[in-house]
Amino acid sequence: MSSVRVAVDVGGTFTDIFLMNDDDGTINVHKVPSTPADPGLAIIDGLRSSGVPFSEIKHFSHGTTVGTNALITREFPRAALITTKGFRDVLEIRDSTKTELWDAYWDMPAPYIKRRDRFELDERMDATGNIVTPLNRHELAEIARVLRKREIKTIAVCLINSYLNAAHEHEARDILRAELPDAIITISADVLPEMFEFPRTATTVANAVLAPVVGTYMGQLTTRLREGGYDGNVLVLHSGGGVMTAEAASHHSARLAASGLAGGAVAMRHLAELCGVKNALGLDIGGTSSDISIMYDGDLRVTQDWSVEPGYPIRFPAIELVTVGAGGGSLAWIDEGGTLRSGPESAKAVPGPACYSRGGSRPTTTDANLILGRLGQVLIGGKMQLDASAAATSIREHLASALGMGLHETAAAVLRLANAKIADAIRVLSIQKGYDPREFGLVAFGGAGPLHACEVAQELAIPKVIIPPHPGITSAMGCALVDVRHDATRTLIARADESGFRELLGLARQARAQVAALLDSEGIDAGDRRYEYFATMRYVGQWRSLNVRLNENDTLNQVLSAFHSEHRREFAYAHEERPVEFFGLRVTGTGLLNKPVLPELPVGTGEPKTLGTRQVFFEGYGFVDTPVYGRHLFKAGQAFAGPAIVEQFDSTVVIVPGSRTTVEAHGNLIVDLGV
């Protein structure tokens, strides 16, 4: 009988595999090198190395960087765009804003579709959705002839004002399917029926160019799993923090562009809830970057303002994240003015930090952690030896001599700078959005997250830090904790009065029907569904808008009150006497899936036993004789005071002086910083 849940996080360097047996609650973790040329191959290799027969897998979900990497590297088939006459250059014109305001030398990345493959079509809808110029079928047939000659089989169709009336886009799709039966055709009415031609065009184009890439990847992975004996759904994490089936992913391919990052945020929410925390910040530090996410009142914050490459928005709802180039492998360097810098360039896995002895000679954050005693001489259960002398030589030669500082003083400065960069990124997602970090807990994971979490929290006066049981594979675990999720959006510009509210409710019913059809196609039972409604609102005359959660039975006055409250929270003021208007609507449909229940640790008392002590540097204290614990020896309920070092297979935890750490029932470490 199938009893094993599998969740996979496909990264650029490693593919992390999280396996949990529902029968006895045991968890196993595997890491295998990623195979960028064929990402699915690492998944299959990792599952085979785990020893679990494919036929015993009851649930498979994964996050992948396939979509992100394809957009960054431009490795996708040649594609075409068909648009209304006069709108061929909308991808260059964009919305007339300058992404890098003060950089006169910064150039926009080239559009995903070259100008010679963008075609104008004679047709026109007016601003109310009425037909002004019928679609020229003969002209479209001629475009299809050119596409056939150029052997282009990926086509995006984005016609002006189609969000109000999609008749011409549907007609164009039918004609193109008849003329080019092998082509993959994406229309904006199916992808993003919203106003503003540039973000709608950019999202439709991103979805189109990724469709063959994602379709091929999901098809190959599904075939391999089926051949191995797995007969369940092949689920993939999308940007909104839910999962889709392989078929749905092929139709909404651009949603996979942030797939890999969403898993960590989902896991952060789950772990925070286990620890009784309703407001939490997620800190995922890997080898190259730090990814920060936020949960407020139990909900992950969602945005539609994101992109893979600057200037080309993807308007699908996505978990709001901030990424900064500060990771374990971030290089420390001296700029032309003699100032110490950290990142964003990374030593990567190869050659890696100097202490890895893989050819790297430049100093990194990892080298500084080793010099200051925060890391031990071995990692990954003894599989990797660290060379402290190589780290010291690197810091002396590249940093200390130029700064006129000692070895340990320089290493401490490197860590202080890295922590400051991470803290600044957290401020962007919290303080600049109207949230007070002092009201949040910090959930830290990734291989390097637990090394920096306590000091970052102290800088922001965050009172509590949570370290998951398996920090290094928390993002993979997050893929096992998600539900099926789909979103539908509508554009609406109407006064927030009774008439506008009725129009909003009518669009909500339409959007819900669209989402329900997607859940039907994925076999979600009616009793396992949950629908959420969000109205985009603003004061009349205001450009910026806010997303306000609606309840199904809310009155207009309740909706207005919620808007004023949200405006006051984010911008510190509200004008309740000013008129308000609706600007859009989003309906989210969630299909609830059975999730793994994390096992509880045996109960213990007193302090855990130490493995010994070592000299560790702490800011403001210098080197301190610090107890070292083995995490595998911890029991629920045990507690100990900082300073402390906790070592485990996939990470090292640094706990600062003056704190108190408790082992939670499921193995989370809850660090009370006393701030």
Side-chain angles (χ1 to χ4, degrees), residues 442-471:
L442 182 66
V443 182
F445 51 97
L451 280 166
H452 298 264
C454 285
E455 288 170 330
V456 169
Q458 284 180 322
E459 181 162 340
L460 295 166
I462 295 173
K464 184 181 295 184
V465 172
I466 299 171
I467 309 295
H470 306 283

Side-chain angles (χ1 to χ4, degrees), residues 236 244-253 256 486 518 521-522:
V236 60
M244 300 186 291
T245 61
E247 182 179 2
S250 299
H251 293 294
H252 297 87
S253 305
L256 268 64
H486 292 288
L518 290 169
S521 69
E522 299 193 290

Side-chain angles (χ1 to χ4, degrees), residues 80-300:
L81 169 66
I82 298 174
T83 188
T84 304
K85 188 164 290 184
F87 289 85
R88 182 183 185 186
D89 296 316
V90 71
L91 291 176
E92 278 94 358
I93 297 171
R94 299 179 291 120
D95 56 5
S96 299
T97 60
K98 185 174 173 61
T99 304
E100 295 293 333
L101 187 61
W102 306 111
D103 188 349
Y105 299 98
W106 186 82
D107 292 322
M108 274 285 298
Y112 298 131
I113 297 178
K114 295 180 179 179
R115 192 174 193 273
R116 64 174 175 268
D117 293 329
R118 303 198 296 265
F119 300 87
E120 295 183 332
L121 180 62
D122 196 17
E123 68 82 37
R124 188 64 183 241
M125 295 282 181
D126 68 14
T128 61
N130 294 316
I131 297 176
V132 176
T133 304
L135 185 144
N136 189 325
R137 301 173 67 92
H138 175 75
E139 192 174 52
L140 184 58
E142 176 61 20
I143 293 172
R145 184 192 66 79
V146 174
L147 295 178
R148 188 183 304 110
K149 183 177 180 180
R150 296 183 184 179
E151 298 182 344
I152 296 176
K153 297 183 178 180
T154 302
I155 306 167
V157 179
C158 189
L159 305 179
I160 190 67
N161 292 330
S162 63
Y163 70 95
L164 292 168
N165 184 346
H168 281 178
E169 286 197 354
H170 289 143
E171 185 179 357
R173 180 177 59 188
D174 293 341
I175 294 171
L176 290 169
R177 281 177 173 171
E179 296 283 342
L180 304 166
D182 295 331
I184 299 174
I185 302 164
T186 301
I187 65 173
S188 73
D190 288 348
V191 173
L192 191 73
E194 294 184 9
M195 70 180 300
F196 298 128
E197 62 269 16
F198 170 59
R200 180 158 50 90
T201 303
T203 303
T204 304
V205 166
N207 200 81
V209 300
L210 288 181
V213 176
V214 171
T216 299
Y217 164 75
M218 294 301 296
Q220 290 177 344
L221 178 60
T222 300
T223 298
R224 286 166 171 165
L225 290 169
R226 294 281 183 266
E227 290 174 348
Y230 174 66
D231 60 1
N233 283 328
V234 178
L235 301 176
V236 60
L237 191 66
H238 62 66
S239 60
V243 287
M244 300 186 291
T245 61
E247 182 179 2
S250 299
H251 293 294
H252 297 87
S253 305
R255 297 214 69 174
L256 268 64
S259 169
L261 300 177
V266 171
M268 176 271 287
R269 177 178 60 185
H270 182 77
L271 294 166
E273 289 174 345
L274 280 180
C275 298
V277 175
K278 294 184 68 176
N279 300 333
L281 291 154
L283 175 59
D284 180 3
I285 307 180
T288 303
S289 65
S290 298
D291 302 313
I292 295 101
S293 54
I294 186 168
M295 177 184 79
Y296 181 72
D297 198 22
D299 289 328
L300 291 170

Side-chain angles (χ1 to χ4, degrees), residues 288-516:
T288 303
S289 65
S290 298
D291 302 313
I292 295 101
S293 54
I294 186 168
M295 177 184 79
Y296 181 72
D297 198 22
D299 289 328
L300 291 170
R301 307 304 289 178
V302 173
T303 182
Q304 287 184 268
D305 185 18
W306 64 284
S307 62
V308 172
E309 287 193 294
Y312 295 109
I314 298 175
R315 291 280 296 173
F316 287 130
I319 292 175
E320 191 165 9
L321 296 160
V322 170
T323 298
V324 61
S330 294
L331 294 171
W333 51 286
I334 306 294
D335 67 13
E336 293 179 355
T339 301
L340 177 65
R341 298 295 187 94
S342 176
E345 188 180 356
S346 170
K348 303 177 182 177
V350 178
C355 62
Y356 282 12
S357 300
R358 293 177 177 172
S361 60
R362 297 169 65 188
T364 67
T365 306
T366 296
D367 294 305
N369 272 309
L370 178 61
I371 291 300
L372 297 178
R374 293 160 174 255
L375 284 174
Q377 298 291 316
V378 296
L379 295 178
I380 319 178
K383 294 181 180 179
M384 179 181 287
Q385 299 286 329
L386 300 185
D387 187 345
S389 63
T393 299
S394 176
I395 292 174
R396 284 194 181 100
E397 291 182 353
H398 292 274
L399 303 177
S401 58
L403 295 171
M405 296 164 59
L407 172 64
H408 297 120
E409 185 184 9
T410 304
V414 170
L415 292 191
R416 196 159 52 244
L417 182 57
N419 290 338
K421 287 186 66 174
I422 296 167
D424 282 344
I426 293 176
R427 290 186 181 98
V428 170
L429 199 57
S430 57
I431 296 173
Q432 291 187 20
K433 299 287 186 179
Y435 300 104
D436 187 344
R438 294 172 297 183
E439 298 174 357
F440 285 71
L442 182 66
V443 182
F445 51 97
L451 280 166
H452 298 264
C454 285
E455 288 170 330
V456 169
Q458 284 180 322
E459 181 162 340
L460 295 166
I462 295 173
K464 184 181 295 184
V465 172
I466 299 171
I467 309 295
H470 306 283
I473 54 91
T474 296
S475 291
M477 183 183 73
C479 296
L481 299 169
V482 295
D483 295 306
V484 173
R485 174 175 170 150
H486 292 288
D487 302 274
T489 59
R490 295 290 187 272
T491 293
L492 165 70
I493 302 178
R495 284 292 182 101
D497 53 21
E498 291 296 342
S499 175
F501 190 51
R502 285 194 297 272
E503 188 176 354
L504 179 79
L505 295 178
L507 290 176
R509 287 190 289 271
Q510 293 178 20
R512 174 171 170 148
Q514 178 184 341
V515 169

Side-chain angles (χ1 to χ4, degrees), residues 537 548 556-566 568 576:
M537 303 174 67
V548 179
L556 174 61
N557 286 337
Q558 288 172 317
V559 173
L560 288 171
S561 177
F563 166 72
H564 293 308
S565 296
E566 181 66 10
R568 184 176 291 105
E576 298 188 11

